[in-house]
Amino acid sequence: MKEEGVQPPKAADAPDAEPHPDAPGASGAPAGEPGRAVEPGAPGESAKPAAGRDGSPGHPAVGSTLSSAAEEQAERVSGDEPLLPARVHRPSDLMRLLIGVLAIVVLFSIAAFAHGTTTGLEQDINKGTGQAPDILIKLAGLVSSIAVLLVPVAFAIERLIKRDGLRIADGVLAAVLAHGVTLAADLWVAKSAPGTIQDALTQPQPGDALTDPVHGYLAPVIAYMTAVGMARRPRWRVVLWVVLLLDAFAMLVGGYTTPFSIILTVLIGWTVAYGTLYAVGSPNVRPTGQHLMAGLRHVGFRPVSAMRADDAPDSGDQSDRGRRYLVSLEDGPPLDVTVVDREQQAQGFFYRVWRRLTLRGITQRRSIQSLRQALEQEALLAYAAIAAGANAPKLIATSELGPDAVMLVYEHIGGRSLDALEDSEITDELLHGSWRQVKALQSRRIAHRRLTGDAILVDRSGKVFVTDLRGGEIAAGDLVLRMDVAQLLTTTGLRVGAERAVAGALEVLGPDAVADCLPLLQPIALSRSTRAALRRLARERSQREREAVLEASDAAKRARAHEHGAPSAASDGTTAGTAAEPKADRGADQKTGRKADRKALRNEKQAEKRALDDALEGAREEDLLSQMRQQVLLIRPQAPVEPVRLERIKARTLLSCIAGAIAAYFLISQVTQADFGAVVEQAEWGWVAAAVGFSALSYVAAAMSLLGFVPERVPFGRTVLAQVAGSFVKIVAPAAVGGVALNTRFLQRAGVRPGLAVASVGASQLFGLGCHILLLAAFGYLTGTEKTPSSLTPSRTVIAGLLTVAVLVLVVTAVPFLRKFVVTRVRSLFAGVVPRMLDVVQRPQKLLTGIGGMLLLTGLFVMCLDASVRAFSGPDVPHLSYASIAVVFLAGNALGSAAPTPGGMGAVEGALTLGLIAVGLPKEVAAPAVLLFRLLTLWLPVLPGWLCFNHLTRKGEL
């Protein structure tokens, strides 16, 4: 064997051709089924080397030329390879599509807001090109107009000769789509675009005509040439750019276009091409097992067969690990070969980008690497790990497999990963061996970054190896090294439990090194697969707790039924003796008996509550990370446990900022167009006072809607204070989250068990959602049947909305993924709510209170909005019906509940303003009315809410 990789010489046309699925023999041999090897000499299945990169038979697909002897031996090898998809969707194409769209938006923004700059640029270009000779301009125009048509045809002929028909089809499709986009852009610029954009993209022509904003023939050519892959062929790329520059020069000098029009044409063609490639997929150029064996012969090996290793399903943090093969040799031990190609490396790209954006830079390596960088990094880490004294597979050779893949050849270990071992096979010695490898790596400042179960390999003798070093780092910082300790601690803890995992780490690393990793023992610092395992354990733990509570509840009910059955049987013999007692004595005894029964019932409920609390406390388990912290603190009580902040920004925060910015832009644009001075001067303060009163009464209605679904006795006055306190909580949390958390906490402090408190709040929310939908449908129907100009939606629109909802329901039920998602969420919602609702239904007074409170709450908010509108409506403003205002409020409130911003800020204001304008209210009245309504229902209650929140907190009721 060779101890050092030999780079095979590339063919002259290697970068200029690619394999394609539609070419016979493009993969070198018929694709075998998984688990089926291609037998040498079988009819029609001889294992030939792959077709050349140019599509011609008999040439290897590794970017070089084999000798004739090597070709003869390559025909005798066999390979095992699962079927590869004919097309792949590359994230790089999607990124280029998004960049192109962003560039087009920026170009339109510059044209719209920098009119002086665009005009000056055009004048400078016209002045500079005006000196060009007329004959040169005509000659350039003639040559470029012919070449623009000939170059795509010549390239298509060249590709067809090399049997690359799929790429030509992709290019034609991209050209057609680009032509359609140019027609749409021309129509928009001519009919609807602002004048500044029209001036920047067109030139005046005789007869009041304008030039085309986008060149209808140039954009399809650019899309075609981009989609067929001309960028990877230097000669054709030079020819294309010369033709494009020549055509642009001729058109600019002739006054047929503008600089911005040319830039827009190039961007549209480029963007449409990559959008087409991502939508339909690019031809798969991933090397097969036959390409691999041909490449192995180039670096001096004599392979006999290549069997694809059974890898675990790709996860976000392990999807770029490459394909692994077990290769048998004619004259030596087998080899482990890893093949990394561009498509494999791109998997999980967006997840890595998101991690890099949201985590601090020190905790996440760069997410974008070239194949050469990935090859060099893994080779460097393999050599560095062995030099550090760690057990790692020995890297024997490296090589490229054409322009789109690389391979790394390791010595074969022949073991099983930690994930593949049974729990009983994981001994303390195996744990110590794993930690010794980490200690050896960290002694030379090497971080692994992926110490999951499949990165720890155990050979037949029990020796532990560390593999999958591609994501590691050399000269790593302390934080990254401690993350490795936290990751392996969690990985082993998931298999052997917290106590054994911590004991193994302490035995090798010592208490100080283990204690230092406690601040990083948090889910965000762990791998994606580890976080998924922790979530699965959390669900199982919650299920066990629920089962324990239900079992305790059933046991208590059975005991109570048994106790009630015994006295009833004994009382039958005394009925005749008590019949002769005086009526007065019987009445007193009955009254005393009822009191005793109520007292006994109350005692039984308290006893049942204590039994359920005891069962819940007994079944409650700490999560794995908390258990490991406790184990470490037993050795180092003074160890720091405060988690290190690794997140740069949270997804909810980013979404809130974006939504808030959009809403602020819309609101400011509406507000600046209204004359608030005149509106406020004409305001009717009586209606303002009425709106204040309706807003204050809404907290009473909110307390009723909550208590109606709580069978236990809870003070009404304190519940009202809790609803006022919710006004403060809404400012610091989304509207649909803050109120739920506060009400649940309030009910728990009022003596309601945690599970029943959550169920009560869930039942209230569920009934509220149902009432909201029914009221929206009812008021929408009433609004549609009104014969007034202020109608929001005609009955036809209501019917269209119902049909749209029906179509969405059908789509959800037809798509398995969506159906499973909805069923899971609904099932989890009803799991705790339905039993609680059965308790409430048995008390009609409570149910009436809850439903009445919800209807009253909606009515008060509608009247508050109506009073706000009347406060700013003059005699000339048409009066809106209550049905129209109710529809506007219900729709706006629904958007506010779904918005991630605190209190629905931005979303509610925008929806209410648009709704009021849609029903016929002038925007000069709609904007201040909405601001008054939100001032009374969101902002003014913040101070009283803060006072009530602090009061209830001091009293221990929150």
Side-chain angles (χ1 to χ4, degrees):
M1 294 184 190
K2 290 191 176 183
E3 295 296 321
E4 185 176 0
V6 178
Q7 181 65 37
K10 291 187 179 181
D13 60 342
D16 200 34
E18 296 180 2
H20 45 89
D22 62 340
S27 61
E33 298 176 0
R36 177 175 176 267
V38 180
E39 299 295 336
E45 294 186 356
S46 59
K48 298 178 182 180
R53 304 299 289 182
D54 60 353
S56 58
H59 295 282
V62 292
S64 60
T65 305
L66 288 172
S67 64
S68 59
E71 290 180 7
E72 293 176 0
Q73 280 189 306
E75 292 179 357
R76 297 197 301 269
V77 300
S78 62
D80 171 61
E81 178 73 9
L83 291 173
L84 296 177
R87 289 180 174 269
V88 291
H89 301 277
R90 297 176 177 175
S92 58
D93 294 338
L94 179 59
M95 290 296 296
R96 292 185 177 100
L97 169 63
L98 297 178
I99 291 173
V101 173
L102 180 62
I104 293 174
V105 172
V106 172
L107 181 68
F108 279 130
S109 302
I110 294 175
F113 299 106
H115 180 64
T117 303
T118 58
T119 304
L121 180 63
E122 291 179 11
Q123 293 176 354
D124 293 340
I125 292 177
N126 292 333
K127 183 178 179 181
T129 56
Q131 308 295 330
D134 187 62
I135 184 65
L136 177 62
I137 296 174
K138 293 182 178 180
L139 181 62
L142 177 63
V143 172
S144 62
S145 60
I146 296 175
V148 158
L149 299 178
L150 288 182
V151 170
V153 174
F155 186 75
I157 295 173
E158 191 261 351
R159 287 290 90 198
L160 290 174
I161 292 174
K162 295 185 177 181
R163 294 181 297 178
D164 201 359
L166 280 181
R167 289 195 179 275
I168 300 301
D170 294 343
V172 172
L173 177 61
V176 172
L177 294 177
H179 184 66
V181 173
T182 57
L183 292 179
D186 289 345
L187 183 62
W188 176 75
V189 173
K191 301 295 183 181
S192 305
T196 54
I197 294 180
Q198 193 176 84
D199 295 339
L201 297 177
T202 58
Q203 290 275 22
Q205 296 293 307
D208 295 333
L210 295 175
T211 59
D212 292 335
V214 183
H215 303 286
Y217 68 93
L218 200 57
V221 170
I222 295 173
Y224 169 83
M225 304 303 278
T226 304
V228 297
M230 178 174 288
R232 293 186 291 272
R233 295 163 176 84
R235 291 173 296 178
W236 287 101
R237 184 172 65 244
V238 171
V239 172
L240 173 65
W241 279 110
V242 169
V243 170
L244 291 179
L245 291 176
L246 198 61
D247 186 76
F249 172 76
M251 295 180 67
L252 276 174
V253 174
Y256 296 109
T257 188
T258 67
F260 280 86
S261 176
I262 293 177
I263 297 174
L264 179 61
T265 301
V266 174
L267 287 176
I268 287 179
W270 190 74
T271 303
V272 171
Y274 283 112
T276 304
L277 289 177
Y278 186 76
V280 303
S282 302
N284 197 343
V285 296
R286 298 173 69 175
T288 63
Q290 295 293 340
H291 296 114
L292 168 66
M293 290 185 288
L296 286 171
R297 291 191 176 278
H298 275 283
V299 291
F301 299 106
R302 301 173 64 85
V304 176
S305 64
M307 304 293 293
R308 178 75 179 271
D310 292 331
D311 287 333
D314 292 335
S315 61
D317 52 355
Q318 296 176 341
S319 56
D320 62 342
R321 59 187 303 172
R323 290 176 290 157
R324 298 179 178 181
Y325 294 85
L326 175 62
V327 178
S328 300
L329 302 178
E330 292 182 3
D331 53 356
L335 302 174
D336 288 329
V337 182
T338 300
V339 177
V340 182
D341 54 67
R342 298 189 187 278
E343 280 74 27
Q344 190 81 20
Q345 191 186 27
Q347 291 182 10
F349 167 78
F350 294 109
Y351 170 76
R352 295 194 299 273
V353 169
W354 174 250
R355 293 273 290 180
R356 184 168 179 82
L357 290 175
T358 56
L359 299 185
R360 299 181 184 273
I362 194 172
T363 64
Q364 188 70 14
R365 67 176 177 87
R366 61 182 300 179
S367 57
I368 303 176
Q369 283 185 317
S370 65
L371 281 174
R372 169 63 62 178
Q373 290 172 331
L375 175 67
E376 293 173 349
Q377 181 180 9
E378 184 166 356
L380 174 62
L381 284 163
Y383 292 134
I386 295 177
N391 298 329
K394 185 178 181 181
L395 182 64
I396 301 174
T398 61
S399 177
E400 288 186 349
L401 294 180
D404 295 309
V406 296
M407 71 174 181
L408 299 99
V409 184
Y410 291 94
E411 65 178 3
H412 179 63
I413 296 177
R416 291 187 296 166
S417 66
L418 189 66
D419 284 343
L421 296 176
E422 299 291 337
D423 292 344
S424 58
E425 298 180 271
I426 304 177
T427 62
D428 291 340
E429 183 58 32
L430 191 151
L431 295 177
H432 296 162
S434 303
W435 285 111
R436 278 193 287 269
Q437 309 316 309
V438 174
K439 184 177 182 180
L441 292 176
Q442 298 203 349
S443 67
R444 302 295 177 87
R445 313 293 297 180
I446 301 174
H448 188 283
R449 303 298 298 270
R450 290 180 176 177
L451 285 172
T452 53
D454 54 357
I456 305 298
L457 197 66
V458 184
D459 66 3
R460 296 180 181 86
S461 64
K463 188 177 181 180
V464 178
F465 288 80
V466 60
T467 64
D468 196 18
L469 290 161
R470 183 176 303 117
E473 295 180 10
I474 60 173
D478 291 336
L479 187 64
V480 180
L481 296 177
R482 286 187 286 161
M483 288 177 65
D484 267 2
V485 177
Q487 175 63 58
L488 185 57
L489 197 63
T490 309
T491 298
T492 54
L494 288 170
R495 299 301 307 276
V496 301
E499 185 175 357
R500 285 185 60 194
V502 173
L506 292 172
E507 179 70 23
V508 177
L509 299 182
D512 293 335
V514 179
D516 289 341
C517 82
L518 289 186
L520 293 165
L521 208 58
Q522 49 181 310
I524 192 65
L526 305 175
S527 67
R528 194 177 190 180
S529 57
T530 306
R531 295 199 302 271
L534 291 175
R535 288 194 296 268
R536 176 179 53 80
L537 290 179
R539 290 193 296 269
E540 293 175 356
R541 188 170 59 251
S542 300
Q543 182 64 27
R544 288 194 297 269
E545 292 177 0
R546 285 195 297 268
E547 290 176 355
V549 171
L550 292 176
E551 184 178 353
S553 177
D554 293 340
K557 290 179 180 178
R558 288 194 299 269
R560 186 165 63 249
H562 179 70
E563 292 176 359
H564 288 176
S568 62
S571 63
D572 291 341
T574 61
T575 304
T578 57
E581 292 182 0
K583 292 183 179 181
D585 294 341
R586 287 203 305 269
D589 291 342
Q590 289 177 358
K591 186 176 181 180
T592 306
R594 285 195 297 269
K595 291 182 179 180
D597 291 341
R598 286 196 296 268
K599 184 177 180 180
L601 182 60
R602 187 165 55 252
N603 292 336
E604 289 173 0
K605 288 186 177 181
Q606 292 177 355
E608 181 183 358
K609 178 182 176 182
R610 286 193 298 269
L612 293 180
D613 292 339
D614 294 341
L616 181 61
E617 186 66 28
R620 184 173 287 116
E621 306 173 16
E622 287 188 334
D623 62 276
L624 178 64
L625 300 183
S626 299
Q627 294 177 26
M628 290 191 292
R629 292 191 194 97
Q630 294 298 328
Q631 292 294 325
V632 176
L633 290 176
L634 293 176
I635 307 299
R636 280 288 186 271
Q638 71 278 11
V641 295
E642 185 68 23
V644 175
R645 183 180 177 184
L646 300 177
E647 289 181 297
R648 180 184 288 117
I649 186 173
K650 295 183 178 180
R652 184 179 295 277
T653 304
L654 180 63
L655 198 59
S656 299
C657 293
I658 295 174
I662 295 174
Y665 172 78
F666 171 78
L667 193 60
I668 291 173
S669 64
Q670 294 292 328
V671 169
T672 53
Q673 298 177 7
D675 187 3
F676 281 100
V679 171
V680 172
E681 288 179 0
Q682 301 174 2
E684 299 184 20
W685 296 101
W687 284 112
V688 174
V692 172
F694 293 141
S695 176
L697 289 176
S698 65
Y699 296 101
V700 178
M704 293 172 57
S705 65
L706 175 63
L707 293 181
F709 299 93
V710 183
E712 292 82 3
R713 181 180 293 274
V714 178
F716 183 78
R718 296 177 186 174
T719 308
V720 174
L721 292 179
Q723 304 312 303
V724 178
S727 302
F728 167 69
V729 177
K730 284 194 301 185
I731 297 299
V732 296
V737 177
V740 171
L742 183 136
N743 287 331
T744 302
R745 177 64 175 171
F746 171 73
L747 293 179
Q748 291 179 7
R749 303 298 292 179
V752 182
R753 292 197 306 273
L756 297 181
V758 173
S760 295
V761 176
S764 176
Q765 294 289 319
L766 186 61
F767 260 81
L769 176 63
C771 289
H772 198 98
I773 294 174
L774 292 177
L775 288 174
L776 185 60
F779 283 117
Y781 174 78
L782 292 176
T783 303
T785 57
E786 291 177 351
K787 302 300 182 181
T788 60
S790 61
S791 61
L792 174 60
T793 52
S795 57
R796 180 179 300 176
T797 305
V798 175
I799 295 175
L802 294 176
L803 292 176
T804 303
V805 173
V807 170
L808 291 176
V809 172
L810 290 176
V811 170
V812 170
T813 55
V815 179
F817 170 75
L818 295 176
R819 183 173 64 248
K820 182 179 179 182
F821 178 82
V822 173
V823 169
T824 302
R825 295 300 184 275
V826 172
R827 185 179 298 167
S828 62
L829 177 64
F830 278 89
V833 171
V834 172
R836 193 61 164 170
M837 287 306 307
L838 295 178
D839 294 337
V840 174
V841 169
Q842 296 175 3
R843 302 185 179 187
Q845 184 178 359
K846 281 282 187 181
L847 186 61
L848 184 61
T849 301
I851 297 177
M854 290 177 183
L855 297 177
L856 180 60
L857 180 63
T858 302
L860 287 171
F861 276 130
V862 170
M863 288 188 287
C864 181
L865 180 58
D866 179 70
S868 301
V869 172
R870 291 175 183 269
F872 297 102
S873 297
D876 298 332
V877 177
H879 175 63
L880 301 180
S881 65
Y882 279 105
S884 299
I885 293 180
V887 171
V888 171
F889 166 74
L890 292 170
N893 192 46
L895 290 176
S897 300
T901 54
M905 283 186 291
V908 175
E909 285 84 354
L912 293 180
T913 305
L914 280 178
L916 291 176
I917 294 175
V919 299
L921 197 66
K923 61 183 178 182
E924 293 79 7
V925 178
V930 170
L931 291 180
L932 175 61
F933 174 75
R934 293 291 282 170
L935 182 68
L936 298 179
T937 57
L938 180 65
W939 296 108
L940 285 184
V942 170
L943 180 58
W946 178 73
L947 295 175
C948 292
F949 184 86
N950 287 334
H951 171 73
L952 294 175
T953 303
R954 286 196 305 269
K955 294 292 186 180
E957 296 172 356
L958 275 182

